[in-house]
Amino acid sequence: FSGFSSFNLGQLPIIINSLSLVDTIGLLPTGSGKSLCYQLACLLQPAISFVVVPIKSLMYDQKYNLDKKGIVHTNFVSSDQTAEQKEKI
């Protein structure tokens, strides 16, 4: 991602474990970059990735910010969508 020159404490081990297919739970404080950990791991995988985000506003914000960075092959499913919208996704 442009604008990043280094990882925050704890991010790199999470990313490395994820890319090494090691089951990983990443516990980091709020604002320490958990989203980057799973977004980068997803981008570097040669597969479709699913991320479960329990907060709707976070899903909307992350989709918006990824789109702004040119990462546009993303989407989300939430209870706000109709059955037809979910089926299309």
Side-chain angles (χ1 to χ4, degrees), residues 17-35:
N17 281 347
S18 298
L19 292 173
S20 299
L21 304 178
V22 175
D23 292 340
T24 303
I25 296 175
L27 297 174
L28 300 173
T30 300
S32 60
K34 290 180 292 293
S35 297

Side-chain angles (χ1 to χ4, degrees), residues 48-50 59-60 63 73-89:
I48 294 173
S49 299
F50 294 91
M59 287 191 303
Y60 294 117
K63 169 75 172 137
H73 295 289
T74 64
N75 220 321
F76 61 86
V77 174
S78 79
S79 60
D80 294 340
Q81 297 163 319
T82 65
E84 291 80 22
Q85 289 171 316
K86 293 176 189 179
E87 180 65 30
K88 182 178 179 184
I89 292 168

Side-chain angles (χ1 to χ4, degrees), residues 38-60:
Y38 62 76
Q39 289 171 355
L40 187 56
C42 288
L43 285 171
L44 295 174
Q45 295 286 336
I48 294 173
S49 299
F50 294 91
V51 176
V52 177
V53 179
I55 303 169
K56 279 190 223 178
S57 61
L58 186 57
M59 287 191 303
Y60 294 117

Side-chain angles (χ1 to χ4, degrees), residues 3-15 28-37:
F4 292 96
S5 59
S6 64
F7 291 103
N8 292 335
L9 184 64
Q11 285 180 311
L12 195 54
I14 293 169
I15 295 166
L28 300 173
T30 300
S32 60
K34 290 180 292 293
S35 297
L36 177 67
C37 293

